[in-house]
Amino acid sequence: MAKFDVYRSDDGSILLDCQSDLLNRLNTRFVVPLVYPDDAVQVDRRLNPLLDIAGNEMLMLTHFAAAIPSGALGHRIASAIDQQYVVANALDMLISGY
């Protein structure tokens, strides 16, 4: 598990792991769901940025962020480390409003 890895859970959900690697000993991970743009409304460009995930455009549903059991992550399918600043800005918008 690594921060900004992308997983497909057993139920088919696509999840972006946003938890610090320093907290790998916890049995939970802080994740944000990703969906195809046609499957959701983009509330705000900064809160809900579009990410390139393995060549697919995905909408980050930051306002649905949650902690889930580590075992529920599923299989790693990609990494969004190259978009870490966009992801961090979305999380900042959710937490602090700017």
Side-chain angles (χ1 to χ4, degrees):
M1 290 177 287
K3 186 175 181 180
F4 302 128
D5 277 354
V6 179
Y7 294 86
R8 182 178 305 278
S9 69
D10 291 340
D11 70 2
S13 300
I14 299 175
L15 304 171
L16 174 62
D17 183 349
C18 295
Q19 185 168 306
S20 169
D21 294 338
L22 297 175
L23 302 174
N24 276 342
R25 284 191 247 166
L26 297 177
N27 64 356
T28 58
R29 298 300 288 176
F30 178 70
V31 299
V32 174
L34 302 175
V35 297
Y36 293 102
D38 292 343
D39 294 339
V41 175
Q42 186 176 36
V43 176
D44 179 274
R45 279 199 175 276
R46 186 156 171 237
L47 181 65
N48 308 116
L50 291 170
L51 303 177
D52 180 352
I53 305 298
N56 295 304
E57 191 172 66
M58 304 291 296
L59 185 64
M60 184 176 168
L61 296 181
T62 312
H63 54 293
F64 286 109
I68 65 167
S70 299
L73 279 175
H75 302 287
R76 183 185 177 280
I77 59 171
S79 174
I81 191 67
D82 61 329
Q83 298 163 90
Q84 64 182 325
Y85 297 109
V86 174
V87 172
N89 283 336
L91 294 171
D92 285 345
M93 180 69 173
L94 178 71
I95 294 166
S96 60
Y98 60 89

